[in-house]
Amino acid sequence: MRSLSLLVIFLIDLPLFGQTLNMEFFGNWNGRSSPTVFGRAYSACWGYVAADGREYALLGTTLGTSIIELTDSLNLVERAFISGPSNGWREMKTYKHYAYIVSESSDTLSGAGVQIVDLSNLPTSAQLVKTFIWTHPTTGQRFPSVHTISVSGNYLYLNGGNFSGVRILDISDPVNPRQVGQYVGPYVHDSFIRNDTIFAAAINGEGLDIVDARVKSSPSLVKRIQYPGAGTHNAWTTTDRRYVLTTDEIGSTAPSLKIWNISDIQNPTFVTEVFRPTAIVHNVFVKGNLAYVAWYGDGLRVLDITDPTQPVEVAYYDTYPESVFSYVGAWGADPYFPSGKVIISDMQTGLYVVRYTGDKRGKVVGTIRDALTNQALSDVLLHFIEPVITRWTGSDGKYLFGYAPGTFKVKIERQGYFGREELITVRDGQTDTVNITLSPLVSVEEPTNRIPERFSLSQNYPNPFNPTTTISFTLPEERPIRLSVLNILGQELFVVAEGIRSAGTHQATLDAGRLTTGVYFYKLVAGSFVDVKKMVVLR
């Protein structure tokens, strides 16, 4: 591994710019400035986008979580407050129309654990549905304390607290989380998940653990990035996953943003380091070619990482203008709103709503319908893989996705329907419409009457699965087919379906009773058409 002295970039304020540079300011909300814990009234923040497009901020306070509507940014209004344990650390994430809120508290009488909050009645109200407490699968010990929380797809990841490592919950049923696995390693302060890989920040000197979590029941360490004096607080990867950005809040290393090249996952190399002479870095969030970095005492800094080896500061908003090298000011941010707005949580002065004027963005909207009846479908999940964002449809079947320009793969699923994957393109400054249809599950091998226009092989559903899953494929004309299951070496294990099939949509049920937990592939050959997809068996 390269020495950390390769390249250092100092970002120094120029008095000319004052408190902000290239940022549009919308508003500040400071409605619960007391009581304080360790001089802090607020902690983390995260966003929620309702199916109707209204945007909300969830803001941690010492006594609970404020839910603030951003639709009229000049008039920020607290729409609901969810009481919780008195604590100076509170973190949250959202999935569908639910919020999951955690704190360091172990006092179960005051609500310690994972608070599950139904946001579907906003802007009128929000309701605490239940509090979930992780129970060790072997010893039965309860672990209510959680430091941070991460979400990716249908899974929730609980980090730190009174548990060393990461706990994994399946939230396919959002109000009834199911324990599916745990990564037992060093104390993990925070984690970021991309493509079933956990980037676990081990803050107490170990560095960054890169963990394979494709099989949720048995995550395994792939590589540990270690460096002298590490105090790794959090991490985020670039969209192409060639680089990972880490923040060091404590330890003897500099309290800086560090960037690592992980193109060769077994040989990660240090690339560069970004300092602020009078501030301590806290959290980094990557959106497209931009890194949004919350610095204690220096507010939110926006870095252009088009070339991750040469990050350039292009904007900032300082929520705590006094120059103090201390744990004050900006805690976190969320730059992922479709409108392009960014929220910042300041520990002393509350919520700020801003927008980087150079942040290119666009929107894609559409309606998801039943392929046979044309009926609009509610509760369809859209998992955007690279942005690590989940959206869903409302009662009218409509969805909304806003992000930086680019083409993104999205997994689309709904109970009772075959899942599918689509590529959705976001154009700068544009709102495009992409309507989607889903095929309902029908009898095994029974074709629908509609003749498809092309050959295709759909993602199996459900996935992961145990013991059965369904595979759908389409033929525009009659063809001999062979649908088989392969191991990770590409060796054929058995045939699911074979023979001549008519034009149409076909489904086959795969029984994995003979397979052990692990990653497998299924392959469709129909004449010259060949396609292979991955699936996961969980026991």
Side-chain angles (χ1 to χ4, degrees), residues 79-155:
R79 296 298 187 186
F81 183 78
I82 305 300
S83 296
S86 177
N87 200 273
W89 294 269
R90 202 177 309 278
E91 295 261 351
M92 65 290 296
K93 289 293 185 293
T94 57
Y95 172 78
K96 294 185 67 175
H97 56 83
Y98 293 92
Y100 298 86
I101 306 168
V102 299
S103 76
E104 287 274 16
S105 175
S106 294
D107 182 4
T108 57
L109 294 179
S110 63
V114 182
Q115 292 183 307
I116 305 173
V117 179
D118 186 348
L119 306 173
S120 61
N121 290 325
L122 288 172
T124 303
S125 63
Q127 294 79 35
L128 176 63
V129 178
K130 66 167 59 172
T131 300
F132 171 89
I133 296 177
W134 172 275
T135 303
H136 194 281
T138 303
T139 66
Q141 182 180 355
R142 289 155 62 87
F143 292 92
S145 175
V146 183
H147 188 74
T148 59
I149 188 168
S150 312
V151 65
S152 179
N154 297 325
Y155 294 95

